[in-house]
Amino acid sequence: QVQLVESGGGLVQAGGSLRLSCAASGRTGSITTMGWFRQVPGKEREFVAAIWWKTGITTYADSLKGRFTISRDLAKNTVYLQRNSLEPEDTAVYYCAARAGPASAYNYWGQGTQVTVSS
């Protein structure tokens, strides 16, 4: 089992910056990929970015490329999502997810952290 706990959400003014953190615990040695998703009420959950745990290779949603930066700290078993120049459209619940073991899909999810960007 892998447990994920997000932090760093909150209310931010447009133009501001935010860094979300997601700390993993449990069987972290089985993690292959960690990702960030976001969801707005009434809409489907949207992929934002992912990072391969061992290599650090990153991938981003085409529509969001250049707006977010994903990184990780292996010593802390933590993945980060940085966003500068926040826009009201970034308002959403942000979820951290992990792909662990032989799973081909994300099989562990955090509880989500609310990000609200005021104009």
Side-chain angles (χ1 to χ4, degrees), residues 14-88:
S17 300
L18 203 64
R19 188 175 81 155
L20 303 179
S21 301
C22 174
S25 60
R27 297 186 64 185
T28 56
S30 65
I31 294 174
T32 57
T33 312
M34 290 193 73
W36 286 97
F37 294 75
R38 66 183 187 180
Q39 189 168 24
V40 175
K43 292 190 176 181
E44 301 232 336
R45 192 169 294 185
E46 175 186 34
F47 169 72
V48 177
I51 187 165
W52 269 252
W53 203 235
K54 289 186 178 179
T55 64
I57 294 172
T58 59
T59 185
Y60 297 88
D62 287 341
S63 60
L64 301 175
K65 201 171 291 185
R67 295 167 57 185
F68 290 90
T69 302
I70 188 171
S71 61
R72 87 236 192 279
D73 184 330
L74 292 177
K76 296 181 180 180
N77 289 318
T78 299
V79 63
Y80 304 98
L81 186 69
Q82 176 78 34
R83 172 76 166 108
N84 299 324
S85 302
L86 282 158
E87 302 172 23

Side-chain angles (χ1 to χ4, degrees), residues 1-24:
Q1 291 278 357
V2 175
Q3 294 78 42
L4 303 173
V5 178
E6 300 106 330
S7 61
L11 176 63
V12 186
Q13 283 196 328
S17 300
L18 203 64
R19 188 175 81 155
L20 303 179
S21 301
C22 174

Side-chain angles (χ1 to χ4, degrees), residues 84-106:
N84 299 324
S85 302
L86 282 158
E87 302 172 23
E89 294 71 31
D90 294 316
T91 295
V93 177
Y94 285 74
Y95 295 91
C96 169
R99 193 153 43 196
S104 58
Y106 289 95

